[in-house]
């Protein structure tokens, strides 16, 4: 079944699925960026107690993991969607 064989309702549903996948990627990316900026802010604020730098580095790591998870999830879902309609 190709995309041309689908009716209007099914094509619109496919478009909504693609847009939902993109929104999910943007949500993961936004969360990751917030965590990375939180880590940066903590590094600048925690110059009194050096023992608390691990919190900032944890925020960096979690931000990177969040962005990486979003990208992997996006391409995995995109491949599944394309496989169903090609």
């Amino acid at each position: 079944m190709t995309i041309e064989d689908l009716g209007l309702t099914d094509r619109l549903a496919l478009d909504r699925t693609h847009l939902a996948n993109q929104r999910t990627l943007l949500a993961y990316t936004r969360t990751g960026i917030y965590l990375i900026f939180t880590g940066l802010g903590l590094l600048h604020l925690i110059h009194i107690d050096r023992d608390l730098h691990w919190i900032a580095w944890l925020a960096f790591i979690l931000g990177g993991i969040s962005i990486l998870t979003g990208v992997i999830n996006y391409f995995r879902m995109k491949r599944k969607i394309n496989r169903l309609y090609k």
Side-chain angles (χ1 to χ4, degrees):
M1 174 180 282
T2 63
I3 294 176
E4 290 80 26
D5 296 336
L6 298 175
L8 177 62
T9 306
D10 292 330
R11 279 185 280 175
L12 291 174
L14 182 60
D15 288 340
R16 284 192 300 271
T17 305
H18 281 291
L19 291 172
N21 194 26
Q22 291 173 355
R23 269 194 316 271
T24 303
L25 172 63
L26 291 174
Y28 274 104
T29 304
R30 181 183 61 229
T31 302
I33 289 172
Y34 286 160
L35 284 168
I36 289 170
F37 281 130
T38 299
L40 282 172
L42 286 173
L43 279 179
H44 287 289
L45 288 176
I46 307 177
H47 54 274
I48 297 170
D49 189 5
R50 295 270 185 214
D51 293 335
L52 296 177
H53 274 166
W54 67 272
I55 297 173
W57 289 106
L58 181 64
F60 282 131
I61 292 169
L62 290 176
I65 289 172
S66 176
I67 292 172
L68 185 63
T69 301
V71 169
I72 290 170
N73 184 37
Y74 172 77
F75 284 112
R76 185 178 295 155
M77 288 304 295
K78 185 176 178 180
R79 189 171 48 242
K80 282 183 184 180
I81 292 167
N82 288 338
R83 196 173 347 158
L84 287 174
Y85 290 102
K86 294 224 178 190

